[in-house]
Amino acid sequence: MFPYSDFVTEVAETIELSTSTQSYEDVLAQPQPSLVLPQIVAPIPTTAKNSARNICHQCGKSYVHLTTLKRHLRYECNKPPRFCCVYCPQRCKHKTDLKSHMLRCHKGQKLSFFICDDNEA
């Protein structure tokens, strides 16, 4: 059964359709029932996507968590890539990106990396 069928029935009973011929002014002068519809949609909860963001003051990137912003400032923002491939000149800021590079480009090779010197940048 429709969850609001009682409500619809109640509203229908309060609205009387007149079959008599009344003037337009008389119909407008009659008090009209106010329709208050129940709230069907719940309020949107605050989530990570619509909550306050932590924004980097140097590059403008935004992060949900403050710890992620701190990591970004410490290792990434305006810094050269730290992780270097041992087989080619590829450099990455994230170890996982270098791992993906090695699996994609150096198949069959041992997964190894080293942290680049700042002088090599």
Side-chain angles (χ1 to χ4, degrees):
M1 179 180 231
F2 184 68
Y4 299 108
S5 61
D6 294 336
F7 175 76
V8 172
T9 304
E10 191 175 302
V11 169
E13 289 172 356
T14 58
I15 300 173
E16 295 178 13
L17 299 175
S18 176
T19 56
S20 64
T21 56
Q22 295 177 335
S23 69
Y24 181 72
E25 290 81 19
D26 291 341
V27 173
L28 289 179
Q30 294 176 352
Q32 299 296 319
S34 62
L35 294 176
V36 179
L37 298 176
Q39 185 176 0
I40 297 173
V41 180
I44 299 171
T46 302
T47 62
K49 290 187 177 183
N50 62 9
S51 64
R53 310 280 294 186
N54 298 291
I55 300 173
C56 175
H57 62 279
Q58 294 179 12
C59 68
K61 286 187 178 181
S62 62
Y63 297 92
V64 175
H65 303 287
L66 182 61
T67 55
T68 311
L69 174 62
K70 288 179 180 178
R71 184 192 67 214
H72 165 76
L73 290 170
R74 186 179 305 119
Y75 297 114
E76 299 172 25
C77 193
N78 297 325
K79 304 252 187 341
R82 301 184 315 141
F83 299 101
C84 297
C85 178
V86 296
Y87 304 109
C88 71
Q90 177 69 32
R91 299 168 60 114
C92 300
K93 291 188 177 186
H94 297 278
K95 187 175 168 180
T96 55
D97 293 340
L98 184 61
K99 182 179 177 183
S100 298
H101 158 77
M102 294 179 82
L103 290 171
R104 186 177 59 253
C105 299
H106 306 293
K107 295 176 184 171
Q109 301 287 341
K110 180 182 173 186
L111 291 179
S112 61
F113 69 95
F114 64 95
I115 295 178
C116 308
D117 292 334
D118 289 337
N119 299 336
E120 294 179 15

